[in-house]
Coordinates of all heavy atoms in Angstrom, one line a residue:
M16 N -1.6 0.5 12.7 CA -2.0 1.3 11.6 C -1.0 1.1 10.4 O 0.2 1.0 10.7 CB -2.0 2.8 12.0 CG -2.2 3.7 10.8 SD -2.4 5.4 11.1 CE -3.9 5.5 12.0
A17 N -1.5 1.1 9.2 CA -0.7 0.9 8.1 C -0.2 2.2 7.5 O -0.7 3.3 7.9 CB -1.5 0.2 7.0
I18 N 0.8 2.2 6.7 CA 1.4 3.4 6.1 C 1.4 3.1 4.6 O 1.9 2.1 4.1 CB 2.8 3.7 6.5 CG1 2.8 3.9 8.0 CG2 3.3 5.0 5.8 CD1 4.2 4.1 8.6
L19 N 0.8 4.0 3.8 CA 0.7 3.9 2.3 C 1.6 5.0 1.8 O 1.3 6.2 1.9 CB -0.7 4.0 1.8 CG -0.9 4.1 0.3 CD1 -0.4 2.8 -0.3 CD2 -2.3 4.3 -0.1
Y20 N 2.7 4.6 1.1 CA 3.5 5.6 0.4 C 2.9 5.6 -1.0 O 2.7 4.6 -1.7 CB 4.9 5.1 0.3 CG 5.6 5.1 1.7 CD1 5.5 4.0 2.5 CD2 6.3 6.2 2.1 CE1 6.1 4.0 3.8 CE2 6.9 6.2 3.3 CZ 6.8 5.1 4.2 OH 7.4 5.1 5.4
R21 N 2.6 6.9 -1.4 CA 1.9 7.0 -2.7 C 2.3 8.3 -3.4 O 3.0 9.1 -2.9 CB 0.4 7.0 -2.5 CG -0.1 8.2 -1.6 CD -1.6 8.2 -1.5 NE -2.2 8.5 -2.9 CZ -3.5 8.5 -3.1 NH1 -4.4 8.3 -2.2 NH2 -3.9 8.7 -4.3
C22 N 1.8 8.4 -4.6 CA 2.2 9.6 -5.5 C 1.4 10.8 -5.0 O 0.6 10.7 -4.1 CB 1.9 9.3 -6.9 SG 0.1 9.0 -7.3
R23 N 1.6 11.9 -5.6 CA 1.0 13.1 -5.2 C -0.3 13.4 -6.0 O -0.9 14.5 -5.8 CB 2.0 14.3 -5.5 CG 3.2 14.2 -4.6 CD 4.0 15.5 -4.7 NE 5.1 15.4 -3.8 CZ 5.1 15.9 -2.5 NH1 4.0 16.4 -2.1 NH2 6.2 15.8 -1.8
T24 N -0.8 12.5 -6.8 CA -2.1 12.7 -7.5 C -3.2 13.0 -6.4 O -3.3 12.2 -5.5 CB -2.4 11.4 -8.3 OG1 -1.4 11.1 -9.1 CG2 -3.7 11.6 -9.0
P25 N -3.9 14.1 -6.6 CA -4.8 14.5 -5.6 C -6.2 13.8 -5.5 O -7.0 14.1 -4.7 CB -5.1 16.0 -6.0 CG -4.9 16.0 -7.5 CD -3.8 15.0 -7.8
T26 N -6.3 12.8 -6.4 CA -7.6 12.0 -6.4 C -7.3 10.5 -6.3 O -6.1 10.1 -6.6 CB -8.4 12.3 -7.6 OG1 -9.6 11.5 -7.6 CG2 -7.7 12.0 -8.9
D27 N -8.2 9.7 -5.9 CA -8.0 8.3 -5.8 C -8.5 7.5 -7.0 O -8.7 6.3 -7.0 CB -8.8 7.7 -4.5 CG -8.0 8.0 -3.3 OD1 -6.9 8.4 -3.3 OD2 -8.7 7.9 -2.2
W28 N -8.8 8.3 -8.1 CA -9.3 7.6 -9.3 C -8.4 7.6 -10.5 O -8.8 7.1 -11.5 CB -10.7 8.3 -9.7 CG -11.7 8.1 -8.6 CD1 -12.0 9.0 -7.6 CD2 -12.4 6.9 -8.3 NE1 -12.9 8.4 -6.8 CE2 -13.2 7.1 -7.2 CE3 -12.4 5.6 -8.9 CZ2 -14.0 6.1 -6.7 CZ3 -13.3 4.7 -8.4 CH2 -14.1 4.9 -7.3
L29 N -7.2 8.2 -10.4 CA -6.4 8.4 -11.6 C -5.1 7.5 -11.6 O -4.4 7.5 -12.6 CB -6.0 9.8 -11.8 CG -7.2 10.8 -12.0 CD1 -6.6 12.2 -12.0 CD2 -7.9 10.5 -13.2
C30 N -4.9 6.8 -10.6 CA -3.6 6.1 -10.5 C -3.7 4.8 -9.7 O -4.6 4.7 -8.9 CB -2.5 7.0 -10.0 SG -2.8 7.5 -8.3
P31 N -2.7 4.0 -9.8 CA -2.7 2.7 -9.0 C -2.6 3.0 -7.5 O -3.1 2.2 -6.7 CB -1.4 2.0 -9.4 CG -1.1 2.5 -10.8 CD -1.6 3.9 -10.8
C32 N -2.0 4.1 -7.1 CA -2.0 4.5 -5.7 C -3.4 4.7 -5.1 O -3.7 4.3 -4.0 CB -1.2 5.7 -5.4 SG 0.6 5.5 -5.9
G33 N -4.2 5.3 -5.9 CA -5.6 5.5 -5.5 C -6.4 4.2 -5.4 O -7.3 4.1 -4.6
K34 N -6.1 3.3 -6.3 CA -6.8 2.0 -6.3 C -6.5 1.3 -5.0 O -7.4 0.7 -4.3 CB -6.3 1.1 -7.4 CG -6.7 -0.3 -7.4 CD -6.1 -1.0 -8.6 CE -6.4 -2.5 -8.6 NZ -5.8 -3.2 -9.7
V35 N -5.2 1.4 -4.5 CA -4.8 0.8 -3.2 C -5.5 1.5 -2.1 O -6.1 0.9 -1.2 CB -3.3 0.8 -3.1 CG1 -2.9 0.4 -1.6 CG2 -2.7 -0.1 -4.1
A36 N -5.6 2.9 -2.1 CA -6.2 3.6 -1.1 C -7.7 3.2 -0.9 O -8.2 3.0 0.2 CB -6.1 5.1 -1.3
R37 N -8.4 3.1 -2.1 CA -9.8 2.7 -2.1 C -10.0 1.3 -1.5 O -10.9 1.1 -0.7 CB -10.4 2.8 -3.5 CG -10.5 4.2 -4.1 CD -11.3 4.2 -5.4 NE -11.0 3.2 -6.3 CZ -10.1 3.2 -7.3 NH1 -9.4 4.3 -7.5 NH2 -10.0 2.2 -8.1
R38 N -9.1 0.4 -1.8 CA -9.2 -1.0 -1.3 C -9.0 -1.0 0.2 O -9.6 -1.8 0.9 CB -8.2 -1.9 -2.1 CG -8.3 -3.3 -1.7 CD -9.6 -3.9 -2.1 NE -9.8 -5.2 -1.6 CZ -10.5 -5.6 -0.5 NH1 -11.1 -4.6 0.2 NH2 -10.6 -6.8 -0.1
L39 N -8.0 -0.2 0.7 CA -7.8 -0.2 2.1 C -9.0 0.3 2.9 O -9.4 -0.2 3.9 CB -6.5 0.7 2.4 CG -5.2 0.1 2.0 CD1 -4.1 1.2 2.1 CD2 -4.8 -1.1 2.9
R40 N -9.6 1.4 2.3 CA -10.8 1.9 3.0 C -11.9 0.9 3.0 O -12.6 0.7 4.0 CB -11.3 3.2 2.3 CG -10.5 4.4 2.7 CD -11.1 5.7 2.2 NE -11.4 5.8 0.8 CZ -10.5 6.2 -0.1 NH1 -9.3 6.6 0.3 NH2 -10.8 6.2 -1.4
R41 N -12.1 0.2 1.8 CA -13.2 -0.8 1.7 C -13.0 -1.9 2.7 O -13.9 -2.5 3.3 CB -13.3 -1.3 0.3 CG -14.6 -1.9 0.0 CD -14.8 -2.1 -1.5 NE -13.7 -2.9 -2.1 CZ -13.0 -2.5 -3.1 NH1 -13.1 -1.3 -3.6 NH2 -12.0 -3.2 -3.7
A42 N -11.7 -2.3 3.0 CA -11.4 -3.3 3.9 C -11.4 -2.9 5.4 O -11.3 -3.7 6.3 CB -10.0 -3.9 3.6
G43 N -11.5 -1.6 5.6 CA -11.6 -1.1 6.9 C -10.2 -1.0 7.6 O -10.1 -1.0 8.8
I44 N -9.2 -0.9 6.8 CA -7.8 -0.9 7.4 C -7.4 0.6 7.5 O -7.4 1.3 6.6 CB -6.8 -1.6 6.5 CG1 -7.1 -3.1 6.4 CG2 -5.4 -1.4 7.0 CD1 -6.3 -3.9 5.4
D45 N -7.1 1.0 8.8 CA -6.7 2.4 9.0 C -5.3 2.5 8.5 O -4.4 1.7 8.6 CB -6.7 2.6 10.5 CG -8.1 2.7 11.1 OD1 -9.0 3.1 10.4 OD2 -8.2 2.4 12.3
Y46 N -5.1 3.6 7.8 CA -3.7 3.9 7.2 C -3.4 5.4 7.2 O -4.3 6.2 7.2 CB -3.6 3.3 5.8 CG -4.5 4.0 4.8 CD1 -4.0 5.0 4.0 CD2 -5.8 3.6 4.7 CE1 -4.8 5.6 3.0 CE2 -6.7 4.2 3.7 CZ -6.1 5.2 2.9 OH -6.9 5.9 2.0
E47 N -2.1 5.6 7.2 CA -1.6 7.0 7.1 C -1.0 7.1 5.7 O -0.4 6.1 5.2 CB -0.5 7.2 8.1 CG 0.2 8.5 8.0 CD 1.4 8.6 9.0 OE1 1.4 7.9 10.0 OE2 2.3 9.3 8.7
Q48 N -1.2 8.2 5.0 CA -0.7 8.4 3.7 C 0.6 9.2 3.8 O 0.7 10.2 4.5 CB -1.7 9.2 2.8 CG -2.9 8.4 2.5 CD -3.8 9.1 1.6 OE1 -3.5 9.1 0.4 NE2 -4.8 9.8 2.1
V49 N 1.6 8.8 3.0 CA 2.8 9.6 2.9 C 3.0 9.9 1.4 O 3.1 8.9 0.6 CB 4.1 8.8 3.4 CG1 5.3 9.6 3.1 CG2 3.9 8.5 4.9
R50 N 2.8 11.1 1.0 CA 2.9 11.5 -0.4 C 4.4 11.7 -0.7 O 5.1 12.5 0.0 CB 2.2 12.8 -0.6 CG 0.7 12.8 -0.3 CD -0.1 12.1 -1.4 NE -1.5 12.1 -1.0 CZ -2.5 12.0 -1.9 NH1 -2.2 11.9 -3.1 NH2 -3.7 12.0 -1.5
V51 N 4.9 11.0 -1.7 CA 6.3 10.9 -2.0 C 6.6 12.0 -3.1 O 5.8 12.4 -3.8 CB 6.8 9.5 -2.4 CG1 6.6 8.5 -1.3 CG2 6.1 9.1 -3.7
P52 N 7.9 12.3 -3.2 CA 8.3 13.3 -4.2 C 8.0 12.8 -5.6 O 7.9 11.5 -5.9 CB 9.8 13.4 -4.1 CG 10.1 13.1 -2.6 CD 9.1 12.0 -2.3
V53 N 7.8 13.7 -6.6 CA 7.4 13.3 -7.9 C 8.6 12.6 -8.6 O 8.4 11.5 -9.2 CB 7.1 14.5 -8.8 CG1 6.9 14.2 -10.2 CG2 5.8 15.2 -8.2
L54 N 9.8 13.0 -8.4 CA 11.0 12.4 -9.0 C 11.4 11.2 -8.2 O 11.6 11.2 -7.0 CB 12.2 13.4 -9.0 CG 11.9 14.7 -9.9 CD1 13.1 15.6 -9.7 CD2 11.7 14.3 -11.3
R55 N 11.5 10.1 -9.0 CA 11.8 8.8 -8.3 C 13.2 8.9 -7.6 O 13.4 8.3 -6.6 CB 11.8 7.6 -9.3 CG 10.4 7.2 -9.6 CD 10.4 5.9 -10.4 NE 11.1 6.0 -11.7 CZ 10.5 6.4 -12.8 NH1 9.2 6.8 -12.8 NH2 11.2 6.5 -14.0
R56 N 14.1 9.6 -8.1 CA 15.5 9.7 -7.5 C 15.4 10.3 -6.1 O 16.3 10.1 -5.3 CB 16.4 10.5 -8.4 CG 16.1 11.9 -8.5 CD 17.2 12.7 -9.3 NE 16.8 14.1 -9.3 CZ 16.6 14.8 -10.4 NH1 16.8 14.2 -11.6 NH2 16.3 16.1 -10.4
D57 N 14.3 11.0 -5.8 CA 14.2 11.6 -4.5 C 13.4 10.8 -3.5 O 13.1 11.3 -2.4 CB 13.5 13.0 -4.6 CG 14.3 14.0 -5.5 OD1 15.6 13.8 -5.5 OD2 13.8 14.9 -6.1
R58 N 13.1 9.6 -3.9 CA 12.3 8.7 -3.0 C 13.1 7.8 -2.2 O 13.0 6.5 -2.2 CB 11.3 7.9 -3.8 CG 10.3 8.7 -4.6 CD 9.4 7.9 -5.5 NE 8.5 8.7 -6.3 CZ 7.8 8.2 -7.2 NH1 7.8 6.9 -7.5 NH2 7.0 9.0 -7.9
D59 N 14.1 8.3 -1.4 CA 15.0 7.5 -0.6 C 14.3 6.7 0.4 O 14.7 5.5 0.7 CB 16.0 8.4 0.1 CG 16.9 9.2 -0.9 OD1 17.1 8.6 -2.0 OD2 17.4 10.3 -0.5
E60 N 13.2 7.2 1.0 CA 12.5 6.4 2.1 C 11.9 5.1 1.4 O 11.9 4.0 2.0 CB 11.4 7.2 2.7 CG 10.8 6.6 3.9 CD 9.9 7.6 4.7 OE1 9.7 8.8 4.2 OE2 9.4 7.2 5.7
V61 N 11.3 5.3 0.2 CA 10.8 4.1 -0.5 C 11.9 3.1 -0.8 O 11.7 1.9 -0.6 CB 10.0 4.6 -1.7 CG1 9.6 3.4 -2.6 CG2 8.8 5.4 -1.3
F62 N 13.0 3.6 -1.3 CA 14.1 2.8 -1.6 C 14.7 2.0 -0.4 O 15.0 0.8 -0.5 CB 15.3 3.6 -2.2 CG 16.4 2.8 -2.7 CD1 16.4 2.1 -3.9 CD2 17.6 2.6 -1.9 CE1 17.4 1.3 -4.3 CE2 18.6 1.8 -2.3 CZ 18.5 1.1 -3.5
D63 N 14.7 2.7 0.7 CA 15.2 2.0 2.0 C 14.3 0.9 2.4 O 14.7 -0.1 2.9 CB 15.3 3.0 3.1 CG 16.4 4.0 2.9 OD1 17.3 3.8 2.0 OD2 16.4 5.1 3.6
L64 N 13.0 1.0 2.1 CA 12.0 0.0 2.5 C 12.0 -1.2 1.5 O 11.8 -2.3 1.9 CB 10.6 0.6 2.5 CG 10.3 1.5 3.7 CD1 9.0 2.2 3.4 CD2 10.2 0.7 5.0
T65 N 12.2 -0.9 0.2 CA 11.9 -1.9 -0.8 C 13.0 -2.2 -1.7 O 13.0 -3.2 -2.5 CB 10.7 -1.5 -1.7 OG1 11.0 -0.3 -2.4 CG2 9.5 -1.3 -0.8
G66 N 14.1 -1.4 -1.8 CA 15.1 -1.6 -2.8 C 14.8 -1.1 -4.2 O 15.5 -1.3 -5.1
Q67 N 13.7 -0.4 -4.3 CA 13.2 0.2 -5.6 C 12.5 1.5 -5.3 O 12.3 1.8 -4.1 CB 12.3 -0.8 -6.4 CG 11.1 -1.3 -5.6 CD 9.9 -0.4 -5.7 OE1 9.6 0.1 -6.8 NE2 9.2 -0.2 -4.6
R68 N 12.2 2.3 -6.2 CA 11.7 3.7 -6.0 C 10.3 3.9 -6.5 O 9.8 5.0 -6.6 CB 12.6 4.7 -6.6 CG 14.0 4.7 -5.9 CD 14.9 5.7 -6.5 NE 16.3 5.5 -6.0 CZ 16.7 6.1 -4.9 NH1 15.9 6.8 -4.2 NH2 17.9 5.9 -4.5
W69 N 9.5 2.8 -6.9 CA 8.2 3.0 -7.4 C 7.2 2.9 -6.3 O 7.4 2.3 -5.2 CB 7.9 1.8 -8.4 CG 8.7 1.9 -9.6 CD1 9.9 1.3 -9.8 CD2 8.4 2.5 -10.8 NE1 10.4 1.6 -11.0 CE2 9.5 2.3 -11.7 CE3 7.3 3.3 -11.2 CZ2 9.5 2.9 -13.0 CZ3 7.4 3.8 -12.5 CH2 8.5 3.6 -13.4
V70 N 6.0 3.6 -6.4 CA 4.9 3.6 -5.5 C 3.7 3.0 -6.2 O 3.7 3.0 -7.5 CB 4.6 5.0 -4.9 CG1 5.7 5.4 -4.0 CG2 4.4 6.0 -6.0
P71 N 2.8 2.4 -5.5 CA 2.5 2.5 -4.1 C 3.4 1.4 -3.4 O 3.7 0.4 -3.9 CB 1.0 2.2 -4.0 CG 0.7 1.3 -5.2 CD 1.6 1.8 -6.3
V72 N 3.6 1.7 -2.1 CA 4.2 0.8 -1.1 C 3.3 0.8 0.1 O 3.0 1.9 0.6 CB 5.6 1.2 -0.8 CG1 6.2 0.3 0.3 CG2 6.5 1.1 -2.0
L73 N 3.0 -0.4 0.6 CA 2.2 -0.5 1.9 C 3.1 -1.1 3.0 O 3.7 -2.2 2.7 CB 1.0 -1.4 1.6 CG 0.1 -1.6 2.9 CD1 -0.6 -0.3 3.3 CD2 -0.9 -2.7 2.6
V74 N 3.1 -0.5 4.1 CA 3.7 -1.0 5.3 C 2.6 -1.3 6.3 O 1.9 -0.4 6.7 CB 4.8 -0.1 5.9 CG1 5.4 -0.7 7.2 CG2 5.8 0.3 4.9
H75 N 2.4 -2.6 6.6 CA 1.4 -3.1 7.5 C 2.0 -4.0 8.5 O 2.3 -5.2 8.2 CB 0.3 -3.8 6.6 CG -0.9 -4.1 7.4 ND1 -1.4 -5.4 7.5 CD2 -1.8 -3.4 8.1 CE1 -2.5 -5.4 8.2 NE2 -2.8 -4.2 8.6
G76 N 2.1 -3.5 9.7 CA 2.8 -4.3 10.7 C 4.3 -4.5 10.3 O 5.0 -3.6 9.9
E77 N 4.7 -5.8 10.2 CA 6.0 -6.1 9.7 C 6.1 -6.3 8.2 O 7.2 -6.5 7.7 CB 6.5 -7.4 10.4 CG 6.6 -7.3 11.9 CD 7.7 -6.3 12.3 OE1 8.8 -6.4 11.7 OE2 7.5 -5.5 13.2
E78 N 5.0 -6.3 7.6 CA 4.9 -6.6 6.1 C 5.2 -5.3 5.3 O 4.6 -4.3 5.6 CB 3.6 -7.2 5.7 CG 3.3 -8.5 6.4 CD 4.2 -9.6 5.9 OE1 4.6 -9.6 4.7 OE2 4.4 -10.5 6.7
V79 N 6.0 -5.4 4.3 CA 6.2 -4.3 3.3 C 5.9 -4.9 2.0 O 6.5 -5.8 1.5 CB 7.7 -3.8 3.4 CG1 7.9 -2.7 2.3 CG2 8.0 -3.3 4.8
V80 N 4.9 -4.3 1.3 CA 4.4 -4.8 0.0 C 4.4 -3.7 -1.0 O 3.9 -2.6 -0.7 CB 3.0 -5.4 0.1 CG1 2.5 -6.1 -1.1 CG2 2.8 -6.3 1.3
H81 N 5.0 -3.9 -2.2 CA 4.9 -2.9 -3.2 C 4.3 -3.5 -4.5 O 4.1 -4.7 -4.6 CB 6.3 -2.4 -3.5 CG 7.3 -3.4 -4.0 ND1 7.5 -3.6 -5.3 CD2 8.2 -4.2 -3.4 CE1 8.4 -4.6 -5.5 NE2 8.9 -4.9 -4.3
D82 N 3.8 -2.7 -5.3 CA 3.1 -3.0 -6.5 C 1.6 -3.0 -6.2 O 1.2 -3.8 -5.3 CB 3.5 -4.3 -7.2 CG 2.8 -4.5 -8.5 OD1 3.1 -3.9 -9.5 OD2 1.9 -5.4 -8.5
S83 N 0.8 -2.2 -6.9 CA -0.6 -2.1 -6.5 C -1.3 -3.5 -6.6 O -2.2 -3.8 -5.7 CB -1.3 -1.1 -7.5 OG -1.2 -1.5 -8.8
R84 N -1.0 -4.3 -7.6 CA -1.7 -5.6 -7.6 C -1.4 -6.5 -6.4 O -2.2 -7.2 -5.9 CB -1.4 -6.3 -8.9 CG -2.0 -5.7 -10.1 CD -1.7 -6.5 -11.4 NE -1.9 -5.6 -12.5 CZ -1.0 -5.5 -13.5 NH1 0.1 -6.2 -13.5 NH2 -1.3 -4.7 -14.5
R85 N -0.1 -6.5 -6.1 CA 0.3 -7.3 -4.9 C -0.3 -6.8 -3.6 O -0.7 -7.5 -2.7 CB 1.8 -7.3 -4.8 CG 2.5 -8.2 -5.8 CD 4.0 -8.2 -5.6 NE 4.6 -9.0 -6.7 CZ 5.8 -8.8 -7.1 NH1 6.5 -7.8 -6.6 NH2 6.3 -9.6 -8.1
I86 N -0.4 -5.5 -3.5 CA -1.0 -4.9 -2.3 C -2.4 -5.2 -2.2 O -2.9 -5.6 -1.1 CB -0.8 -3.3 -2.3 CG1 0.7 -3.0 -2.2 CG2 -1.6 -2.7 -1.1 CD1 1.0 -1.5 -2.4
V87 N -3.2 -5.2 -3.3 CA -4.6 -5.5 -3.3 C -4.8 -7.0 -2.9 O -5.6 -7.4 -2.1 CB -5.3 -5.2 -4.7 CG1 -6.6 -5.8 -4.8 CG2 -5.4 -3.7 -4.8
E88 N -3.9 -7.9 -3.5 CA -3.9 -9.3 -3.1 C -3.7 -9.5 -1.6 O -4.3 -10.3 -1.0 CB -2.9 -10.1 -3.9 CG -3.3 -10.3 -5.4 CD -2.2 -11.0 -6.2 OE1 -1.2 -11.4 -5.6 OE2 -2.4 -11.1 -7.4
Y89 N -2.7 -8.7 -1.1 CA -2.4 -8.8 0.3 C -3.5 -8.4 1.2 O -3.9 -9.0 2.1 CB -1.1 -7.9 0.6 CG -0.8 -7.8 2.1 CD1 -0.2 -8.9 2.8 CD2 -1.2 -6.7 2.8 CE1 0.0 -8.8 4.1 CE2 -0.9 -6.5 4.1 CZ -0.3 -7.6 4.8 OH -0.1 -7.5 6.2
V90 N -4.2 -7.3 0.8 CA -5.4 -6.8 1.5 C -6.5 -7.8 1.5 O -7.1 -8.1 2.5 CB -5.8 -5.4 1.0 CG1 -7.1 -5.0 1.7 CG2 -4.7 -4.4 1.3
D91 N -6.7 -8.4 0.3 CA -7.7 -9.5 0.2 C -7.4 -10.6 1.2 O -8.2 -11.2 1.9 CB -7.8 -10.1 -1.2 CG -8.3 -9.1 -2.2 OD1 -9.0 -8.1 -1.8 OD2 -8.1 -9.3 -3.4
W92 N -6.1 -11.0 1.3 CA -5.6 -12.1 2.2 C -5.9 -11.7 3.6 O -6.4 -12.5 4.4 CB -4.2 -12.4 1.9 CG -3.6 -13.4 2.8 CD1 -3.8 -14.8 2.7 CD2 -2.8 -13.2 3.9 NE1 -3.1 -15.4 3.7 CE2 -2.4 -14.4 4.5 CE3 -2.2 -12.0 4.5 CZ2 -1.6 -14.6 5.6 CZ3 -1.4 -12.2 5.6 CH2 -1.1 -13.4 6.2
V93 N -5.5 -10.5 4.0 CA -5.7 -10.0 5.4 C -7.2 -10.0 5.7 O -7.6 -10.5 6.8 CB -5.2 -8.6 5.5 CG1 -5.6 -7.9 6.8 CG2 -3.6 -8.6 5.5
E94 N -8.0 -9.6 4.8 CA -9.5 -9.6 5.0 C -10.0 -11.0 5.2 O -10.9 -11.3 6.0 CB -10.2 -8.9 3.8 CG -11.4 -8.2 4.2 CD -12.0 -7.3 3.1 OE1 -11.7 -7.6 1.9 OE2 -12.7 -6.4 3.4
E95 N -9.5 -12.0 4.4 CA -10.0 -13.4 4.5 C -9.6 -13.9 5.8 O -10.4 -14.6 6.5 CB -9.3 -14.2 3.4 CG -10.0 -14.3 2.1 CD -9.3 -15.2 1.1 OE1 -8.6 -16.1 1.5 OE2 -9.4 -14.9 -0.1
R96 N -8.4 -13.7 6.3 CA -7.9 -14.2 7.6 C -8.7 -13.6 8.7 O -9.0 -14.3 9.7 CB -6.4 -13.8 7.8 CG -5.5 -14.8 7.2 CD -4.1 -14.6 7.6 NE -3.8 -14.5 9.0 CZ -2.9 -13.7 9.6 NH1 -2.2 -12.9 8.9 NH2 -2.8 -13.7 10.9
A97 N -9.1 -12.3 8.6 CA -9.9 -11.7 9.7 C -11.3 -12.3 9.7 O -11.9 -12.3 10.8 CB -9.9 -10.2 9.4
S98 N -11.8 -12.8 8.6 CA -13.2 -13.3 8.6 C -13.3 -14.8 9.0 O -14.4 -15.3 9.2 CB -13.8 -13.0 7.2 OG -13.2 -13.8 6.3
E99 N -12.1 -15.5 9.0 CA -12.1 -16.9 9.4 C -12.4 -17.0 10.9 O -11.9 -16.3 11.7 CB -10.8 -17.5 9.0 CG -10.6 -17.6 7.5 CD -9.2 -18.2 7.2 OE1 -8.4 -18.5 8.2 OE2 -8.9 -18.4 6.0
P100 N -13.2 -18.0 11.2 CA -13.3 -18.3 12.7 C -12.0 -18.7 13.3 O -11.3 -19.5 12.7 CB -14.4 -19.4 12.7 CG -14.4 -20.0 11.4 CD -13.9 -19.0 10.4
A101 N -11.8 -18.3 14.5 CA -10.6 -18.6 15.2 C -10.7 -20.1 15.7 O -11.7 -20.6 16.1 CB -10.4 -17.8 16.5
E102 N -9.6 -20.8 15.5 CA -9.6 -22.2 15.9 C -9.3 -22.3 17.4 O -8.6 -21.5 18.0 CB -8.4 -23.0 15.2 CG -8.7 -23.2 13.7 CD -7.6 -24.1 13.1 OE1 -7.0 -24.9 13.8 OE2 -7.4 -23.9 11.9
V103 N -10.0 -23.2 18.0 CA -9.9 -23.4 19.5 C -8.9 -24.5 19.7 O -9.1 -25.7 19.2 CB -11.3 -23.8 20.1 CG1 -11.1 -24.0 21.6 CG2 -12.3 -22.7 19.9
G104 N -7.8 -24.2 20.4 CA -6.8 -25.3 20.6 C -7.3 -26.3 21.6 O -8.1 -26.0 22.5
G105 N -6.8 -27.5 21.5 CA -7.3 -28.5 22.4 C -6.4 -29.5 22.8 O -5.6 -30.0 23.3

């Protein structure tokens, strides 16, 4: 299961965090949401993961991705890999 660190905006239509949440749902990726404090200085967990305090941040397995555009590209890549036929070793 993935973890999405996001802002406290109550809808998925007003911010980049919502864009990421919509893309994760469309890709069928299960995720847990962690709503972070409004003040960036209070986002220690995000800083520990990424070295910066901006959201959204996605933790998916061992991957930690920040910035909504990069996260959407990462989800596209994961979706592509999942749809590729598995190679048979020989």
Side-chain angles (χ1 to χ4, degrees):
M16 175 174 292
I18 302 171
L19 175 62
Y20 292 86
R21 63 174 296 178
C22 64
R23 294 188 179 268
T24 303
T26 178
D27 285 344
W28 295 101
L29 298 176
C30 65
C32 297
K34 174 183 175 180
V35 170
R37 291 190 318 267
R38 183 64 186 101
L39 288 168
R40 281 195 303 273
R41 201 167 54 240
I44 297 174
D45 291 330
Y46 67 96
E47 173 187 335
Q48 295 185 77
V49 176
R50 302 283 180 153
V51 299
V53 173
L54 297 176
R55 284 191 298 273
R56 69 173 180 240
D57 296 333
R58 299 177 182 172
D59 294 333
E60 193 171 1
V61 171
F62 184 79
D63 292 343
L64 288 167
T65 64
Q67 53 87 43
R68 297 181 187 273
W69 295 89
V70 290
V72 173
L73 179 69
V74 179
H75 186 239
E77 296 294 317
E78 298 293 328
V79 178
V80 187
H81 62 90
D82 183 74
S83 61
R84 289 184 199 132
R85 288 184 180 149
I86 295 170
V87 168
E88 287 175 5
Y89 172 76
V90 172
D91 291 344
W92 177 78
V93 167
E94 208 171 27
E95 273 181 32
R96 272 187 57 215
S98 67
E99 291 177 358
E102 289 187 26
V103 178

